Structure formats: C-alpha cells, structure tokens
C-alpha cells in the first residue's frame, strides 16, 4: 500500500508529466487560458489516459507478449489510443450530449497528445502489474490536470496584468511554466 | 506475417471506428463553434495574433 501511495505521489508531483517530463505541452499551452476549459481538458485527458492504458496493458500482455510481437507495441498503442478516442467520442455524441458539449471539442486534441502514449508505454517499460498500472494511469493525468489548472489560473491573472508588450501571450506563459517547473523540481526530495 | 495481419486488423478497427464516428450525428446544440485564436506556437500562421503585432511594430 505504501508503495502504491509513493507511486501515486511521485507521478502527480515529483515526476509530473508536464513540468518534469515535458510531455503534453500542446494542450498545456493551448488550453490553459481559462480555468473552466483547463478542468474540462484535464477531465478528458484523465479518462482517455486511464482507458487507453487499460486497453494497451491488456493488449500487450494477452496478445503482443503471448505471440512474440512485443516490437509492435509502439504502432499498436498508437492505433489503440486513436481507436479508443474515436469510440469514446462516438458514445458521448450518442448518449450524452451535455458531456459532448463540454468535453467533445477536446477529444480530437487528446488523440495526438504524447502523454497518453507515454503512459501506455511506461506501464510496460516499468513492468507494472495491474494495480500499479491502474494507480499510475490515474496519477499521471491527475498531475496533468493539477498543473493545467494552476497554470490556467495564473494565465487568467496575467491577462489582466500589465505585462510588457513583447512578453504578452505565450512568451510570459513560457516564463511562468519555467518557474513552475523549478518549483515542482524542488519537490524532488519529498519521497 | 502474424505482425502484419495484426497491424492490418488494428488499422481496420481504427478505420471502422473513424467511419462510425463520422456517421454519428452531432447532438443538437453542440455544433462546433469557430474557436477564436489565442495564438499557438505556429507563429507563421496568418491568424496568429503576433502577425498583427509585427505589423504594428514595423509601422
């Protein structure tokens, strides 16, 4: 239990997918102007990463590993993630228009999010069992959502601040992201 | 050979899901609105806000 908790905290804070691993930067920069859209994106990413990780984990251990096709993990996982996002969008369109209205626009963006593929591959590379995969696959997108929300809150305030003209927009956002990365780097000795 | 067949099956699965998703109608009231550009990393895009800023500086 302690190991699972350590794994969770490590994935959320210390080895944060955005500020430490520098993955998922496209949605991090592009969907962080408002806290509402940041939360929506975070929720969608959480769902896709968890679902795709479960599918890819099962596929790897039940098919690829069993038939000696481990070398095909990369291309297979890409196709699984893309298929899962298409399936999810289709189900949401049909059965939950309200959910589609809030999250639907984000789903195509998540298909190409490298963080999703990273989690799927890392579950295999780290040799996690099923429980560890579940914990890790939940912790990483929770860390992503946390950082995205914090970043969006800062950017909302920056938009109202007197930022020098050359730094307006993405430039000051990059500076803020760098400072946040330094701050999260200070958590390295926590666990 | 088994790898190619498996890859073809996965590709076919994706194609089928893409097709069915494309055929599924968007719910009423959820039509995608044109998102106003806030500026991404592609600064060479004609819609990038920095384009207007560059023109102002040159003038």
């Amino acid at each position: 239990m302690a190991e699972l908790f350590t794994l969770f905290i490590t994935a959320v804070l210390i080895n944060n997918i955005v500020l430490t691993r520098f993955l998922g930067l496209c949605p991090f920069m592009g969907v962080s102007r408002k806290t509402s859209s940041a939360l929506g994106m975070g929720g969608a990413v959480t769902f896709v990463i968890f679902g795709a990780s479960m599918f890819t984990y099962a596929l790897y251990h039940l098919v690829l590993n069993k038939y000696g096709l481990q070398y095909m993990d990369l291309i297979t996982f890409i196709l699984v993630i893309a298929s899962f996002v298409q399936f999810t969008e289709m189900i949401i369109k049909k059965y939950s228009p309200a959910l589609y209205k809030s999250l639907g626009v984000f789903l195509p963006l998540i298909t190409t999010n490298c963080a999703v593929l990273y989690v799927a591959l890392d579950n295999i590379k780290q040799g996690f069992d099923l429980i560890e995969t579940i914990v890790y696959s939940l912790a990483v997108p929770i860390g992503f959502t946390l950082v995205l929300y914090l970043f969006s809150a800062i950017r909302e305030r920056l938009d109202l601040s007197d930022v020098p003209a050359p730094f307006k927009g993405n430039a000051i956002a990059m500076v803020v992201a760098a400072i946040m990365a330094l701050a999260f780097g200070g958590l390295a000795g926590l666990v | 050979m088994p790898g190619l067949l498996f890859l073809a099956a996965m590709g076919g699965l994706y194609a089928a899901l893409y097709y069915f998703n494309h055929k599924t109608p968007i719910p009423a009231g959820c039509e995608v609105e044109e998102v106003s550009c806030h500026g991404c990393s592609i600064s060479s895009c004609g819609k990038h806000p920095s384009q207007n800023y560059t023109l102002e500086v040159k003038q």
Side-chain angles (χ1 to χ4, degrees):
Chain A
M1 195 66 188
E3 291 82 13
L4 293 176
F5 181 73
T6 303
L7 178 66
F8 184 86
I9 294 296
T10 305
V12 172
L13 295 176
I14 299 166
N15 291 330
N16 186 273
I17 189 83
V18 178
L19 298 180
T20 309
R21 303 287 185 198
F22 304 113
L23 295 171
L25 292 178
C26 286
F28 180 70
M29 294 301 295
V31 193
S32 58
R33 297 300 289 262
K34 294 179 184 176
T35 51
S36 55
S37 60
L39 281 177
M41 183 66 175
V45 166
T46 301
F47 178 74
V48 172
I49 285 183
F50 182 71
S53 295
M54 293 297 103
F55 275 114
T56 53
Y57 182 85
L59 190 69
Y60 184 85
H61 287 284
L62 295 178
V63 179
L64 297 182
N65 204 21
K66 191 176 176 183
Y67 295 102
L69 298 173
Q70 295 92 337
Y71 61 93
M72 291 186 60
D73 58 351
L74 180 61
I75 184 66
T76 305
F77 288 2
I78 290 171
L79 288 170
V80 166
I81 291 165
S83 302
F84 180 71
V85 171
Q86 292 293 319
F87 177 74
T88 303
E89 189 175 355
M90 185 171 55
I91 296 296
I92 291 177
K93 265 190 216 175
K94 195 156 177 62
Y95 295 110
S96 182
L99 193 61
Y100 181 78
K101 191 165 188 175
S102 60
L103 300 181
V105 71
F106 300 124
L107 286 175
L109 298 173
I110 299 169
T111 305
T112 54
N113 189 352
C114 52
V116 184
L117 184 60
Y118 168 79
V119 174
L121 290 171
D122 207 35
N123 285 330
I124 305 303
K125 182 190 164 191
Q126 300 282 352
F128 289 151
D129 59 20
L130 181 61
I131 302 297
E132 288 170 333
T133 300
I134 291 172
V135 171
Y136 189 68
S137 302
L138 281 174
V140 169
I142 288 174
F144 176 86
T145 306
L146 172 69
V147 171
L148 189 61
Y149 181 76
L150 291 174
F151 192 57
S152 65
I154 293 171
R155 287 192 81 175
E156 276 187 344
R157 284 157 176 78
L158 278 176
D159 286 340
L160 301 172
S161 302
D162 187 21
V163 178
F167 279 89
K168 280 186 180 174
N170 287 336
I172 193 66
M174 286 287 190
V175 173
V176 170
I179 294 171
M180 286 179 71
L182 286 173
F184 270 69
L187 296 170
L190 186 66
V191 177
Chain B
M1 192 64 183
L4 282 176
L5 289 174
F6 181 70
L7 196 60
M10 295 301 300
L13 175 67
Y14 171 70
L17 286 171
Y18 179 83
Y19 174 76
F20 288 128
N21 185 28
H22 185 66
K23 286 293 179 189
T24 305
I26 296 174
C30 295
E31 287 79 13
V32 178
E33 299 170 2
E34 188 173 333
V35 179
S36 59
C37 177
H38 296 289
C40 62
S41 59
I42 306 174
S43 56
S44 59
C45 173
K47 292 187 177 180
H48 196 274
S50 66
Q51 298 290 340
N52 295 328
Y53 169 72
T54 304
L55 287 172
E56 288 171 7
V57 169
K58 283 182 179 176
Q59 289 171 2

